[in-house]
Amino acid sequence: MKAEFSQALGISEEIFTELLERGIVRLMRYRNIEYAVFRKSTHGVGEGTAVVIKDGKVYVIPPYPSIQRILLLESVRKHFIDTVVIEEKLDGYNVRVAMLGNEIFAFTRGGFICPYTTHRIRHDLGRELRQLLEDNDSLIVAGEVIGPENPYVPHEYPEAGGFSFFAFDILSPEGKQLPVDERNTLLDKYGVPRVRELGRVSKEELREIRGILKELDRDGREGVVMKDPLYRVPPLKYTTHAANIGDLSVGMRFFFDEGRSYIFSRLLREIFMLYEEGAGDERIREIAEKLGMSLLVPALNTVREVEAKGAVFAEYRLRVYDERVIEEILDFMQSLGMGPEIINVKREGDSIIFVLKKMKRTSDEVRHILKTGYAPID
Ligand code: ATP
């Protein structure tokens, strides 16, 4: 098995073994499939690459490339060549859908085959995606799963229902994005939903981009990804006040987990956004209040909840159409060290809904502080 993996990647078996031993590569199993996941970039193989062996055939799924964030919109002028396609940035989780043999599979950003996402994508959008990938079998469709029914980023969107997939790129087998119009034509031909295009402007038209962002911010939406129509230069991402503050609120509920790592990055975004806006005292006070509240309120509520109930949990409402998938989700999460619990299993029509409860480190830290009064950091 190792020989097949290393051969497909063009690295020696000894190196592959060493990468396994050092935990840089992880071997995983999904049903009758064995696959290897690259958890860091090494030897020319990018982080999030998955190498899959199915029915004796080897498939290499390239990673989804990282997108450069900008803090100043002004930099759009320097970065792009002429035209900029402005797409909505949806707040969910990144999924690559690939055809392996005669079935489609959903890979998370890290390169894992997620049993839940695979099941839901097949159920909700299987026909369209399968047709597209059957006719173009070496391509990979990348998109965002949004909506409240998932175990990663539950977020309500009026247009999304419980679980929706919106494609934002089609990758070649080498991991290169197809030009925007070519991608759109393919997705539309097969009826695969795609992210909204909010505008196509000259890179000099920053006013137009600012207008789009103002509207997104007002509607509480995440932001934009700006792309060269032909991918001659890499895309850029930029998020709204609403997203930065919303992230903090969500993150600070578990302030020893996500919260602490969110704070400085979001603050930096706000500092430069206010600077570029030329914000006056009143505007600064408005944002400062929102920022402060998003940092303190969820964290304080967590302390009170730990005191009253002994712990806080992250809870995710999921829906499946096949009972066996529940066990697969549990096994998958457990293998990634998340040790979840399943509660409130209920039938609803042809589906089963249940809650996945994940333990959080924040509970232990807060319990310890409440007991001893000692600070865990100086
Ligand atoms: P990165 O992916 O840039 O390394 P990250 O994993 O922290 O960073 P984000 O900062 O949320 O993710 O931004 C990038 C992600 O945004 C993409 O990986 C993708 O999942 C998501 N996304 C949402 N909408 C789009 C879009 N229209 N085009 C590209 N990506 C999008």
Side-chain angles (χ1 to χ4, degrees), residues 135-171:
D135 295 351
N136 305 274
D137 71 347
S138 51
L139 297 181
I140 290 148
V141 178
E144 198 83 345
V145 167
I146 61 166
E149 288 173 5
N150 71 72
Y152 307 109
V153 186
H155 187 101
E156 292 277 354
Y157 270 100
E159 71 272 32
F163 180 102
S164 295
F165 174 83
F166 290 92
F168 50 63
D169 271 311
I170 296 184
L171 303 179

Side-chain angles (χ1 to χ4, degrees), residues 64 66-67 69 87-90 94 109 144 168-169 195 222 225 227 237:
Y64 184 78
S66 209
I67 300 178
R69 178 180 295 278
E87 283 178 8
E88 173 157 22
K89 181 177 194 307
L90 290 172
N94 182 307
R109 190 72 202 283
E144 198 83 345
F168 50 63
D169 271 311
V195 291
E222 194 189 13
V225 178
K227 299 177 177 171
K237 62 186 177 194

Side-chain angles (χ1 to χ4, degrees), residues 71 261-270:
L71 293 177
S261 61
Y262 277 19
I263 295 176
F264 189 61
S265 56
R266 270 62 179 184
L267 193 57
L268 209 55
R269 296 175 202 172
E270 288 303 301

Side-chain angles (χ1 to χ4, degrees), residues 185-376:
T185 306
L186 258 181
L187 293 170
D188 294 351
K189 178 174 169 196
Y190 291 93
V192 176
R194 54 181 165 92
V195 291
R196 282 197 294 160
E197 183 172 315
L198 303 171
R200 222 173 250 228
V201 301
S202 144
K203 65 174 185 167
E204 303 298 334
E205 285 176 56
L206 291 187
R207 232 160 48 126
E208 173 105 15
I209 305 179
R210 289 206 171 95
I212 291 172
L213 279 158
K214 211 167 174 177
E215 233 169 88
L216 290 174
D217 185 41
R218 202 195 49 213
D219 297 343
R221 300 182 74 105
E222 194 189 13
V224 294
V225 178
M226 292 167 277
K227 299 177 177 171
D228 178 86
L230 300 172
Y231 271 99
R232 291 165 295 179
V233 289
L236 298 177
K237 62 186 177 194
Y238 189 82
T239 47
T240 59
H241 286 293
N244 299 340
I245 287 164
D247 280 1
L248 284 174
S249 270
V250 172
M252 288 304 285
R253 174 155 160 74
F254 305 110
F255 53 96
F256 276 104
D257 296 272
E258 295 86 1
R260 63 198 298 172
S261 61
Y262 277 19
I263 295 176
F264 189 61
S265 56
R266 270 62 179 184
L267 193 57
L268 209 55
R269 296 175 202 172
E270 288 303 301
I271 294 169
F272 284 95
M273 207 180 276
L274 289 173
Y275 161 76
E276 206 173 36
E277 266 178 45
D281 286 354
E282 201 181 323
R283 176 71 170 150
I284 296 171
R285 204 164 291 120
E286 180 201 341
I287 295 291
E289 185 182 336
K290 285 188 184 156
L291 255 180
M293 294 302 271
S294 71
L295 290 170
L296 289 174
V297 175
L300 257 174
N301 287 341
T302 291
V303 176
R304 291 182 177 134
E305 209 175 314
V306 172
E307 194 196 16
K309 300 186 196 152
V312 280
F313 299 93
E315 295 190 342
Y316 305 86
R317 204 174 72 104
L318 307 187
R319 182 189 301 276
V320 295
Y321 298 85
D322 176 352
E323 206 163 345
R324 288 170 303 178
V325 180
I326 303 179
E327 202 59 42
E328 289 179 349
I329 297 167
L330 267 182
D331 289 349
F332 174 66
M333 297 267 167
Q334 237 136 28
S335 72
L336 298 183
M338 290 184 216
E341 226 186 287
I342 281 180
I343 55 170
N344 299 345
V345 184
K346 272 192 300 221
R347 272 202 179 271
E348 199 182 272
D350 62 346
S351 67
I352 303 165
I353 47 174
F354 59 92
V355 173
L356 190 81
K357 212 168 141 183
K358 281 191 208 164
M359 210 24 195
K360 287 289 185 176
R361 204 185 124 213
T362 298
S363 297
D364 302 330
E365 296 279 359
V366 172
R367 251 196 325 268
H368 188 71
I369 297 170
L370 287 174
K371 197 166 142 206
T372 65
Y374 291 150

